[in-house]
Amino acid sequence: METDTIIASATPPGEGGIGILRLSGLNAEKFLQLFFQPAGSVSALESHRLYLGSFLDQQGLLVDEVMAVVMRAPRSYTREDVVEIHCHGGTVVMRRIMDQFIDAGARMARPGEFTLRAFLNGRLDLSEAEAVIDLIRARSDSAGRIAAAQLKGSVSRTVHEFQSQVADLLALVEAHVDFPEEDIEFADQQRLLSEAASVNAHIQDILNNFDSGRILREGLSVLILGKPNVGKSSLLNILLGESRAIVTDIPGTTRDTIEECLVLGGVPLRLIDTAGVRDTEDLVELEGVARAKNKIESADLVLLVIDGSRPVDDNDLLALESCRQSRVLLVYNKADLPATVPDVRFSPFPSVTVSTRTGEGLDLIKTAIVDLVCGDGRSGDVQMDSVFSDRRHREALVRCSESLDHFIAALSAGNSPEFLALDLREALHALGEITGETTPDDILDRIFTRFCIGK
Ligand code: GDP
């Protein structure tokens, strides 16, 4: 149990109609009483009630007219005493109120510290705490829905089910540990085998659906590739419907990669524009090209842009070559100009013809992208409450499944119960990392520092 009382602004910095400051900890209410004078004849503050009143500084001077609420433990976000002050949303007002509390002994909260306390006090498990930041960061409806389901325990429930099944197996195996010379009876062995296999099959289902979940959560990463001057930036801009990347006539000016998000037909996309891929001696650009190659490998889809008004050349072929391993959609751009004869070496790939200048054919790109994603028949209507979308969770499930595989093999080979128990404990350990029971501290740190201050 933490003993210090933390404070942070719960609303973003800058001007706003109201600003909310939040305190959590043993002294939260005591600190409030030092500065808050409720209007009317209020003798004591009831929990979970909003009171109008004056916030006075140490000298008794009025800082602001505010609303304040006390949420007494354990019925609060952190399960500690929590106080919120709703004041006017101005930088000076909020800083002055914050200063009073800090002078009185409160400490500035670190990023994610409120949620960390909620986790440490058992109000949220780790996957639910992670959902809080996912919900805040969600950039599409689908990402928001996945996060909301996870916050309500969708991931935890599934993991708890697995945990209880594996714990049952472990109990059965451990009953034999004291009698190592006796083999596990045939009936028990069959039961262990079939139950372990059934947990593993369920985990495999989840892993098979992981990509749809991940795409809905993180967005489909779409890389825009092509030699310089074919119209990559123009394409990015027109897809975004606004000019953010700088469009120029000088080849190779987009040296670094630019990433933008949009939602297309319900599918969130992350569009990545790269430095033009081509043979180059220019060092800066070489770096960009190398980075592009990394990104090509991790992209879900590559839009390979080609200038359809000119014959393809070695640089186009080089670009095609660099994305051989990926899912590619050829985009023949500049359809407003007379077209050249298509090159047979490009004909095996799906393609669309567009003009970023006139807007012709852009709908085709959008449909092609949505088709490519939903063509698998999955992303369209994924069940949000059975979806795993976080890579950390996936990785733990993979380890759990490997331990179960190992257990099944060892059981079939007639290994001793001690060894069998070891595999099951490893499986449980991996599952516990998802919910936070066995997560190493450095991973916890990494998760909570992703949060903003005040959450
Ligand atoms: P990038 O180097 O591949 O990013 O290409 P840009 O988007 O910077 O475009 C290069 C040049 O081609 C610019 O002069 C654009 O105006 C031009 N351009 C882009 N798309 C089209 C198009 O559909 N039709 C025509 N005629 N020109 C285009």
Side-chain angles (χ1 to χ4, degrees):
M1 193 79 184
E2 302 273 349
T3 52
D4 48 359
T5 298
I6 52 174
I7 182 168
S9 164
T11 43
E15 286 179 18
I18 55 170
I20 302 177
L21 288 161
R22 175 156 66 167
L23 292 104
S24 177
L26 283 177
N27 291 324
E29 187 172 353
K30 197 178 92 191
F31 289 154
L32 178 70
Q33 283 162 354
L34 292 177
F35 309 110
F36 180 63
Q37 224 170 54
S41 53
V42 174
S43 52
L45 302 184
E46 269 178 57
S47 186
H48 292 81
R49 266 193 100 107
L50 203 52
Y51 291 91
L52 176 69
S54 304
F55 194 96
L56 309 172
D57 68 10
Q58 277 156 338
Q59 281 77 48
L61 295 173
L62 180 70
V63 181
D64 193 7
E65 185 174 68
V66 303
M67 306 265 268
V69 56
V70 178
M71 288 169 268
R72 291 200 188 101
R75 287 181 55 221
S76 73
Y77 183 63
T78 56
R79 286 214 172 145
E80 301 174 333
D81 283 351
V82 166
V83 162
E84 277 178 17
I85 319 269
H86 299 222
C87 59
H88 289 101
T91 320
V92 172
V93 176
M94 293 192 71
R95 203 207 58 231
R96 282 186 66 200
I97 295 180
M98 181 109 71
D99 285 350
Q100 303 305 312
F101 285 115
I102 303 243
D103 288 349
R107 159 173 81 67
M108 279 293 293
R110 290 186 285 269
E113 201 171 0
F114 290 92
T115 310
L116 176 64
R117 287 186 173 195
F119 165 67
L120 293 174
N121 295 329
R123 161 118 162 30
L124 297 169
D125 77 12
L126 188 57
S127 75
E128 290 161 351
E130 286 172 301
V132 171
I133 187 69
D134 285 351
L135 195 55
I136 293 174
R137 298 257 160 91
R139 283 190 278 196
S140 66
D141 283 355
S142 54
R145 276 161 59 209
I146 289 185
Q150 189 174 321
L151 180 59
K152 280 276 158 216
S154 63
V155 166
S156 320
R157 271 191 299 278
T158 310
V159 171
H160 287 151
E161 220 171 277
F162 291 150
Q163 282 173 321
S164 98
Q165 285 163 320
V166 176
D168 284 350
L169 298 179
L170 183 60
L172 197 56
V173 167
E174 278 180 335
H176 292 275
V177 168
D178 293 336
F179 312 99
E181 62 287 351
E182 289 175 27
D183 281 344
I184 296 181
E185 304 98 61
F186 185 72
D188 281 353
Q189 191 178 3
Q190 290 309 301
R191 196 180 135 201
L192 287 168
L193 280 177
S194 81
E195 282 175 20
S198 131
V199 175
N200 236 355
H202 194 168
I203 292 181
Q204 280 312 319
D205 273 353
I206 291 176
L207 293 177
N208 291 340
N209 281 317
F210 175 78
D211 256 348
S212 325
R214 178 186 61 79
I215 286 171
L216 289 177
R217 173 170 178 262
E218 296 178 354
L220 178 85
S221 62
V222 178
L223 190 97
I224 303 181
L225 193 73
K227 68 179 183 193
N229 252 0
V230 290
K232 296 181 299 300
S233 312
S234 312
L235 177 64
L236 177 77
N237 288 338
I238 201 153
L239 283 175
L240 285 170
E242 58 179 290
S243 287
R244 273 200 228 156
I246 303 156
V247 186
T248 66
D249 285 334
I250 311 156
T253 42
T254 324
R255 281 191 165 139
D256 211 331
T257 57
I258 299 171
E259 199 171 316
E260 297 280 4
C261 300
L262 75 154
V263 178
L264 211 65
V267 182
L269 302 185
R270 285 182 295 130
L271 282 178
I272 304 155
D273 181 20
T274 60
V277 166
R278 58 165 183 170
D279 272 324
T280 174
E281 292 303 312
D282 181 336
L283 264 183
V284 183
E285 191 157 75
L286 270 177
E287 225 173 78
V289 172
R291 226 176 329 218
K293 285 191 172 144
N294 277 334
K295 294 236 170 186
I296 292 169
E297 280 160 23
S298 57
D300 295 310
L301 172 69
V302 177
L303 294 181
L304 178 55
V305 186
I306 296 164
D307 183 341
S309 69
R310 290 162 186 253
V312 296
D313 63 16
D314 287 351
N315 287 324
D316 292 307
L317 280 167
L318 192 71
L320 179 65
E321 202 48 50
S322 67
C323 53
R324 278 273 176 202
Q325 311 298 325
S326 319
R327 218 182 219 179
V328 180
L329 176 67
L330 300 179
V331 179
Y332 288 103
N333 187 30
K334 309 198 185 180
D336 52 301
L337 302 175
T340 55
V341 187
D343 191 293
V344 288
R345 288 167 292 184
F346 287 77
S347 46
F349 300 90
S351 67
V352 291
T353 303
V354 308
S355 164
T356 60
R357 182 153 291 174
T358 63
E360 171 192 345
L362 281 165
D363 286 351
L364 294 176
I365 296 194
K366 299 189 181 183
T367 348
I369 290 176
V370 175
D371 277 357
L372 272 178
V373 180
C374 301
D376 298 358
R378 292 213 220 99
S379 314
D381 46 24
V382 172
Q383 286 293 319
M384 296 299 174
D385 48 3
S386 59
V387 129
F388 276 55
S389 59
D390 187 308
R391 289 167 201 270
R392 192 184 76 78
H393 301 167
R394 178 183 183 281
E395 200 258 332
L397 280 184
V398 167
R399 272 186 288 120
C400 172
S401 169
E402 284 167 358
S403 298
L404 289 175
D405 281 340
H406 201 257
F407 167 77
I408 291 170
L411 185 63
S412 311
N415 283 4
S416 79
E418 280 95 342
F419 282 112
L420 298 173
L422 217 60
D423 286 330
L424 294 176
R425 277 198 208 97
E426 268 170 23
L428 281 176
H429 195 276
L431 291 171
E433 284 186 27
I434 300 178
T435 44
E437 291 135 30
T438 55
T439 316
D441 283 350
D442 55 326
I443 306 243
L444 284 182
D445 282 349
R446 221 182 310 149
I447 290 171
F448 285 99
T449 45
R450 279 169 43 216
F451 279 63
C452 33
I453 291 181
K455 190 65 234 182

